[in-house]
Amino acid sequence: MSARPDAVATATAAVETVAAVESADPCCAAPLPVLGRDVTVPLVTGGEVTYAALDYAASAPALQRVWDDVAAYAPYYGSVHRGAGYLSQLSTDLFESSRVTVAEFLDCRADDQVVFTRSTTDSLNLLAAVVPADCEVFVFETEHHASLLPWGSPDAPGRRGSDARVTYLNAPRTPQQAVETLERALADRDPYGPALVCVTGASNVTGELWPVRELAAAAHAHGARIVLDAAQLAPHHPVSVQDLDVDWIAFSGHKLYAPFGSGVLAGRADWLQDSEPYLAGGGASRKVARRADGGVDVEWHTTAARHEAGSPNVIGVYSIASACKALTEAGFEGLVARERHLIATVREGLAEVPEVKVLSLFGDDAPRVGVISFVVDGWNSSHFAAALSAEYGIGVRDGLFCAHPLVRTLLGSDPQDPGECGAPEAAPGERSEVGVPPAEGWGRSLNAIRVSFGAGTPDEHVERFVGAVKALVRDGAQWKYRTEDGRCVPDRG
């Protein structure tokens, strides 16, 4: 729709609630209201406690503002595009205006496209499906599987994007080493063929920030393009396509304080326009006609709709736009300052426990977001995470965090070691004797523990977490645990 009818504009304005954010000392600012902040959970030792959600890196709780916006829109829900009815027009307008909001949030270039997908994984698989057949792809082994695996390999000839030649780069130990490693790899490539670099903005394992701007400069100096996996960066820091000079950005709504089921791929349009649609179907096609020989001729859209076949997830898209507005209005300066305070609380608390080893690529002084992974001397990681949940009402994550090569590198284990996300490497039992690590030792453990937090995390949650870690290491678990379906759970028998 080129212009919004007055009625549509009025209705749209009615569902776009504006949350007033009080200015205050950033470090003392209150957490943003999120769903579930008052939920209580039972403890295995008796009683209940307010749940401390410290697994933001997997899925952040939805902002109350986002939920309220979606609830206000829900009565106006209708089909998107081509519908003649009022609700369809309103929903179409909301869908397309959400695209504009996301483009502004990412500071996109004027000719960039914003394609709505299901998730970061879906976004990167979409990009893998449209890269030129002779493209060389460069990706560090430190990436999340969503950005490590879509590009194809000789071992998976049937996967989309498998015609691309993939070079996996070893884990760097400093930001400068990351840039130098990439520059060496790019210098050895065919300078006349297409190339793509895929890199994370913030690690989902260590939380460390990567030198995206410098990596983008190196890529462009060697004639390559770059895509940024911003799944862990966008919820914590402002992300600008133009300032970072990246070609594409991918992220997920469910990490940006929006409900599940929506994601974004934003950036250059040419590869997207020159490829076959990611999915073939209604919405992606502009014109379809039968040929005299019995076949079908199809004219595909050249806009973002080319890769958005089917009925779109209007509520998911609107929830992302709402989250973008809420974070922008809250102000990233204050959000970042408050998160640094929470990071310092956790890191200083863990540093007081000699048995705890925090995992890091770039060292203690590296800037990071609120994601910290660690192992505990004498503890199975799944056992420790289960005790945090069952005895203290704290939700963290244990395992390999869908970044198996990175975690194994950080733990010093063989890349070929078996193991799966969340599965304990040994049957959990009582806490080991103080100072006596498991048979494999710290470096041979097959999984770790991850605590992650963000804009909705109260101070009390991270303070309780630090206290619980100290108590578990000092006193051991108060309950017995057993393995059930690969998970460590309280033994209630």
Side-chain angles (χ1 to χ4, degrees), residues 405-449:
L406 171 57
V407 178
R408 286 169 175 158
T409 293
L410 293 172
L411 294 177
S413 59
D414 191 310
Q416 303 303 317
D417 280 343
E420 57 184 280
C421 289
E425 66 269 20
E430 291 301 302
R431 173 176 174 274
S432 301
E433 181 181 351
V434 174
V436 180
E440 296 90 347
W442 262 341
R444 299 295 296 172
S445 175
L446 290 184
N447 59 7
I449 306 153

Side-chain angles (χ1 to χ4, degrees), residues 68-95:
D68 291 345
D69 281 357
V70 168
Y73 161 65
Y76 301 92
Y77 177 82
S79 63
V80 174
H81 300 140
R82 298 171 300 283
Y86 176 86
L87 297 191
S88 179
Q89 293 180 53
L90 185 143
S91 294
T92 298
D93 187 74
L94 201 66
F95 184 80

Side-chain angles (χ1 to χ4, degrees), residues 126-359:
L126 163 56
L127 188 60
V130 307
V131 297
D134 58 343
C135 187
E136 292 185 77
V137 178
F138 297 85
V139 56
F140 286 93
E141 68 173 349
T142 47
E143 293 291 308
H144 185 282
H145 293 171
S147 48
L148 184 74
L149 302 180
W151 315 107
S153 72
D155 299 326
R159 186 186 301 126
R160 283 181 181 266
S162 59
D163 289 337
R165 289 165 288 165
V166 187
T167 297
Y168 297 104
L169 307 175
N170 291 335
R173 285 300 182 168
T174 67
Q176 181 59 33
Q177 190 179 81
V179 177
E180 293 170 352
T181 298
L182 179 62
E183 288 179 330
R184 286 194 299 270
L186 291 172
D188 292 337
R189 81 175 189 90
D190 176 0
Y192 301 105
L196 177 69
V197 176
C198 181
V199 67
T200 188
S203 171
N204 77 304
V205 176
T206 67
E208 292 164 315
L209 299 178
W210 277 61
V212 177
R213 188 180 294 102
E214 292 80 3
L215 291 168
H220 293 152
H222 290 275
R225 300 185 181 190
I226 185 168
V227 57
L228 170 62
D229 175 355
Q232 300 297 338
L233 183 62
H236 304 274
H237 284 264
V239 177
S240 167
V241 169
Q242 298 190 67
D243 181 52
L244 296 174
D245 196 23
V246 294
D247 297 279
W248 291 278
I249 284 182
F251 71 89
S252 294
H254 71 96
K255 298 187 192 301
L256 196 77
Y257 310 103
F260 286 100
S262 54
V264 169
L265 176 67
R268 296 179 60 157
D270 53 352
W271 284 5
L272 294 168
Q273 293 174 345
D274 294 342
S275 69
E276 291 296 307
Y278 184 46
L279 297 173
S285 56
R286 175 183 290 167
K287 184 188 300 182
V288 180
R290 288 292 301 273
R291 296 196 305 263
D293 63 4
V296 175
D297 285 325
V298 183
E299 180 183 338
W300 303 105
H301 280 293
T302 58
T303 63
R306 185 184 189 89
H307 298 289
E308 295 177 342
S311 297
N313 179 3
V314 188
I315 286 181
V317 165
Y318 181 47
S319 69
I320 286 183
S322 174
C324 290
K325 289 181 180 180
L327 292 174
T328 300
E329 291 168 6
F332 271 106
E333 181 179 357
L335 295 176
V336 170
R338 185 172 187 281
E339 186 171 305
R340 285 175 180 160
H341 163 68
L342 297 177
I343 292 170
T345 299
V346 173
R347 288 181 59 82
E348 290 168 7
L350 295 181
E352 296 173 357
V353 186
E355 293 85 352
V356 170
K357 177 185 178 183
V358 174
L359 305 183

Side-chain angles (χ1 to χ4, degrees), residues 32-37 51-67 253-260 323 452-458 461:
L32 298 185
V34 294
L35 293 182
R37 59 188 180 276
Y51 183 64
L54 297 179
D55 193 16
Y56 275 46
S59 289
L63 287 172
Q64 185 67 54
R65 152 75 181 274
V66 173
W67 197 255
H254 71 96
K255 298 187 192 301
L256 196 77
Y257 310 103
F260 286 100
S452 53
F453 40 87
T457 305
H461 288 187

